[in-house]
Amino acid sequence: MKYRSVFDIIGPVMIGPSSSHTAGAARIGRVARSLFGRQPKWATISFYGSFAKTYKGHGTDVATVGGLLDYDTFDERIKSSLQIAKKLGMKITFIEEDAITDHPNTARLIIGDDQGQLELVGISIGGGKIEITELNGFELKLSGNHPAILVVHNDRYGAIAAVANILAKHAINIGHMDVSRKEKGQLALMTIEVDQNMDQQVIDELKTLPNILQVTKIAE
């Protein structure tokens, strides 16, 4: 893992005590909230490895819920996030998992409301940095540190090229792109991190393309 500056090593401005266990956890929760598009009514949060062993003492629980409430890593309200969530009627369940995962700081979030639900797996890799490794059963690699779009599409010839052409037309540079599918010819997911935030016009144009089913924007 390469760091761009000393601040990437120290970590972001945050509510302590640990960049990996609090700032990273808050970012995982906030990405889940962003992808869900609204405040969930309930959340089942499973912690693995080091997260499972130390989440109460290191504030991983309050940080993750703070992220679900759309609080940034430095927001003082994170300290009271469990109480705030309760007042808002959000039901939170924590599960300490025994399963061995590829990374010790792993969290699985299942969040939802009456309209639907979302399942996400994220890891905190240190210095407040995260990676989202799974979304609704799709494998992916999303850092959460750059503007991005997630494109659900039919696994058909030309779908990826059509999306790339639209981004090129609007002079949007792709920093990282990953494509995941569960089965050949079925649903697939494009994860595209870009160098700048995108206007809604670009998102709307992408939605009109053949075989594109859903486009979700994550702002920086």
Side-chain angles (χ1 to χ4, degrees):
M1 175 61 62
K2 294 182 178 179
Y3 297 96
R4 290 175 296 177
S5 76
V6 67
F7 296 105
D8 288 338
I9 301 172
I10 296 172
V13 177
M14 63 178 186
I15 304 299
S18 165
S19 61
S20 60
H21 286 68
T22 47
R27 283 181 166 168
I28 291 171
R30 203 172 188 209
V31 169
R33 161 68 180 259
S34 177
L35 291 172
F36 193 59
R38 55 194 182 274
Q39 183 174 293
K41 288 187 176 180
W42 55 266
T44 299
I45 303 169
S46 298
F47 291 130
Y48 299 80
S50 177
F51 269 3
K53 295 176 181 177
T54 64
Y55 75 91
K56 291 182 179 178
H58 284 185
T60 309
D61 50 356
V62 297
T64 305
V65 174
L68 291 176
L69 293 171
D70 204 25
Y71 300 159
D72 209 335
T73 55
F74 53 81
D75 197 314
E76 290 286 339
R77 290 175 294 177
I78 284 179
K79 298 176 182 178
S80 306
S81 64
L82 297 182
Q83 292 84 358
I84 295 171
K86 185 176 181 179
K87 289 181 180 178
L88 293 173
M90 186 189 300
K91 182 180 178 181
I92 308 293
T93 302
F94 294 106
I95 301 175
E96 300 174 26
E97 298 283 3
D98 296 325
I100 304 299
T101 55
D102 293 336
H103 194 280
N105 297 332
T106 299
R108 180 182 297 272
L109 280 59
I110 305 176
I111 62 176
D113 58 16
D114 297 337
Q115 301 177 49
Q117 71 175 47
L118 174 146
E119 183 172 357
L120 173 151
V121 176
I123 60 175
S124 178
I125 59 177
K129 291 180 173 292
I130 67 168
E131 286 183 4
I132 306 302
T133 60
E134 186 180 319
L135 176 65
N136 291 336
F138 287 103
E139 294 182 358
L140 72 159
K141 186 176 181 180
L142 177 66
S143 72
N145 296 318
H146 305 283
I149 53 172
L150 275 66
V151 183
V152 179
H153 60 102
N154 292 317
D155 184 26
R156 299 289 188 274
Y157 174 83
I160 297 172
V163 170
N165 286 338
I166 294 295
L167 296 181
K169 185 179 77 171
H170 290 275
I172 296 172
N173 190 51
I174 296 174
H176 174 81
M177 183 175 184
D178 189 54
V179 181
S180 174
R181 62 185 183 184
K182 298 178 183 178
E183 293 183 33
K184 182 179 179 181
Q186 301 300 313
L187 287 180
L189 174 68
M190 286 182 242
T191 306
I192 307 173
E193 292 190 339
V194 296
D195 290 343
Q196 67 264 44
N197 286 317
M198 290 162 284
D199 294 335
Q200 187 60 39
Q201 175 189 350
V202 180
I203 305 302
D204 293 340
E205 193 170 344
L206 290 171
K207 290 179 178 179
T208 66
L209 293 173
N211 294 308
I212 302 304
L213 305 177
Q214 181 181 353
V215 182
T216 304
K217 178 177 69 170
I218 302 177
E220 187 174 22

